[in-house]
């Protein structure tokens, strides 16, 4: 049977938000979506960008995968499937978004699996292969400076940095950035605290957002 939690949620949506925002949904259906912001986030159920940023339908274009990773642009796109790359291509080339936010988060399962050399969940080890992308990045983080928890947080931040760097390997992204038509941002969400950290583009450090900003 279809999950009861989903049917109950749909009923609430049907008689709540849909009724209240009927015109918006009809307009989106007629004219399509035109979000100015793309968020690349983790698939973790605790870190939904639409919830964190209180976004309505049509406001942000969201890509989610394990550990909010952006792989480097590959020239040979015919030999494998590229879900994240395809979504980036659509967001930049078709939607013409003006901002891309890579949103990392605390207690990331993918990063923890990498850090702890977790036992593969299957023979194919999709997670292990996916997370192996950051092995070179992890080597640049001096583990001796941090305890285990601090080191893992540094890795979570490093993943955001890695993804931002890889975004610039996509020609459409780098061209739009250089033309001043697109801005890249890094952010990090504390699941337990609710604190949003925003990457300082000058220093590369993650700084907690304050309402005075």
């Amino acid at each position: 049977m279809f999950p009861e939690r989903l049917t109950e949620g749909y009923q609430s949506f049907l008689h709540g938000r849909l009724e209240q925002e009927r015109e918006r949904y009809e307009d989106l259906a007629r004219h399509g979506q035109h979000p100015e912001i793309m968020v690349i986030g983790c698939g973790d159920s605790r870190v939904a960008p639409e919830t964190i940023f209180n976004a309505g339908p049509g406001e942000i274009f969201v890509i989610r995968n394990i550990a909010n990773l952006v792989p480097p642009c590959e020239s040979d796109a015919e030999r494998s499937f590229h879900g994240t790359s395809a979504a980036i291509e659509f967001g930049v080339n078709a939607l013409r978004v003006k901002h891309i936010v890579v949103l990392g988060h605390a207690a990331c399962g993918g990063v923890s699996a990498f850090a702890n050399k977790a036992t593969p969940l299957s023979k194919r080890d999709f997670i292990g292969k996916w997370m192996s992308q950051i092995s070179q990045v992890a080597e640049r983080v001096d583990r001796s400076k941090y305890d285990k928890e601090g080191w893992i947080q540094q890795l979570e931040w490093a993943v955001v940095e890695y993804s931002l760097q890889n975004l610039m390997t996509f020609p459409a992204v780098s061209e739009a950035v250089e033309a001043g038509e697109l801005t890249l941002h890094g952010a990090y969400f504390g699941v337990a605290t609710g604190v949003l950290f925003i990457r300082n583009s000058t220093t590369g450090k993650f700084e907690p957002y304050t309402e005075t900003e």
Side-chain angles (χ1 to χ4, degrees):
M1 293 182 62
F2 199 71
E4 185 178 355
R5 171 62 186 85
L6 297 185
T7 55
E8 290 176 348
Y10 172 67
Q11 289 178 41
S12 178
F13 164 78
L14 188 65
H15 301 296
R17 184 166 200 168
L18 183 60
E19 287 185 358
Q20 296 164 9
E21 301 185 67
R22 174 70 69 177
E23 289 186 10
R24 170 183 278 188
Y25 280 96
E26 291 175 349
D27 182 72
L28 287 168
R30 283 194 301 268
H31 302 109
Q33 59 172 325
H34 302 285
E36 294 188 349
I37 302 168
M38 174 194 297
V39 176
I40 301 173
C42 182
D44 194 305
S45 60
R46 301 166 295 177
V47 194
E50 296 91 340
T51 299
I52 294 170
F53 299 114
N54 195 31
E59 289 189 311
I60 57 176
F61 182 64
V62 177
I63 305 170
R64 300 180 72 173
N65 60 39
I66 298 297
N68 42 269
L69 276 166
V70 174
C73 183
E74 294 185 23
S75 57
D76 185 1
E78 297 182 0
R79 293 182 179 274
S80 56
F81 296 99
H82 301 275
T84 298
S85 300
I88 291 169
E89 181 179 78
F90 181 73
V92 175
N93 293 55
L95 297 178
R96 303 289 182 184
V97 295
K98 297 179 180 179
H99 300 271
I100 299 179
V101 178
V102 178
L103 178 64
H105 71 95
C108 179
V111 174
S112 292
F114 174 86
N116 295 314
K117 299 180 181 179
T119 302
L121 297 180
S122 71
K123 291 182 179 179
R124 291 181 175 83
D125 191 20
F126 291 120
I127 295 174
K129 290 183 176 65
W130 179 251
M131 292 306 302
S132 69
Q133 296 179 71
I134 68 165
S135 58
Q136 293 182 350
V137 178
E139 291 174 2
R140 302 187 206 130
V141 179
D142 187 352
R143 186 171 181 176
S144 65
K145 292 183 178 180
Y146 310 96
D147 60 15
K148 184 66 175 293
E149 184 178 342
W151 177 62
I152 289 178
Q153 183 180 62
Q154 291 296 317
L155 289 179
E156 291 166 345
W157 288 346
V159 167
V160 175
E161 190 72 35
Y162 170 86
S163 292
L164 289 170
Q165 292 171 358
N166 282 344
L167 277 168
M168 290 297 287
T169 68
F170 289 79
V173 172
S174 60
E175 290 169 7
V177 169
E178 290 166 6
E181 299 170 351
L182 175 65
T183 305
L184 307 184
H185 311 269
Y188 178 88
F189 181 71
V191 176
T193 64
V195 175
L196 179 71
F197 293 80
I198 298 176
R199 179 183 174 276
N200 185 308
S201 60
T202 302
T203 65
K205 294 182 179 180
F206 288 80
E207 303 169 349
Y209 169 79
T210 60
E211 293 188 37
T212 57
E213 292 184 358

